[in-house]
Amino acid sequence: MPEEDLVDIKFRLYDGSDIGPFRYSTASTVDMLKQRIVSDWPKGKTVTPKAVNEVKLISSGKILDNSKTVGQCRTPLGEVAGGIIIMHVVVQPSLAKVKTEKKIDNSPRKLVCSCSIL
């Protein structure tokens, strides 16, 4: 594989620590990057992703789409001195779990009107 088809990517976590850098082909998808992040997540962190769909990758202020390749994302990223691209990692719990918790929280709160009109 030619050297220009490889890029070095480092993943910056919420607490400022990093995972990587790792070398990826420009044909690698964002989903593949996320799988690597979940499998290499450091032990002992307070927030830990349980699945790939809980991880969001942000680069140059944009959330990267799972189906995009590193090569497609690289153009807006620009070339970085030293050749390492830094992507920020955000962990979001799945929406189904959050919605379920909200429904449970709201169900016991039923208001009954006790007004009497004379």
Side-chain angles (χ1 to χ4, degrees):
M1 189 176 297
E3 188 67 27
E4 65 265 5
D5 288 346
L6 297 174
V7 291
D8 291 322
I9 302 175
K10 184 188 302 188
F11 304 104
R12 178 89 17 106
L13 305 181
Y14 63 91
D15 61 356
S17 62
D18 293 327
I19 299 175
F22 300 111
R23 185 161 282 195
Y24 290 98
S25 162
T26 54
S28 300
T29 63
V30 172
D31 189 59
M32 293 167 69
L33 303 180
K34 290 180 178 184
Q35 289 174 11
R36 177 77 182 256
I37 291 168
V38 171
S39 67
D40 288 359
W41 194 266
K43 305 290 184 234
K45 297 285 184 189
T46 56
V47 177
T48 303
K50 293 175 181 60
V52 173
N53 63 350
E54 294 182 352
V55 176
K56 304 284 185 223
L57 284 179
I58 301 173
S59 186
S60 297
K62 296 184 180 179
I63 297 175
L64 304 180
D65 186 31
N66 285 351
S67 61
K68 298 280 187 185
T69 64
V70 172
Q72 290 171 325
C73 298
R74 197 167 94 183
T75 303
L77 301 176
E79 295 303 319
V80 181
I84 297 178
I85 298 169
I86 298 175
M87 294 185 180
H88 294 270
V89 179
V90 176
V91 179
Q92 291 182 319
S94 64
L95 294 175
K97 182 179 179 184
V98 173
K99 286 181 181 178
T100 304
E101 288 174 359
K102 285 183 180 180
K103 287 180 183 175
I104 291 170
D105 289 346
N106 289 337
S107 59
R109 299 180 192 167
K110 292 185 178 180
L111 300 175
V112 178
C113 180
S114 62
C115 300
S116 56
I117 299 174
L118 298 172

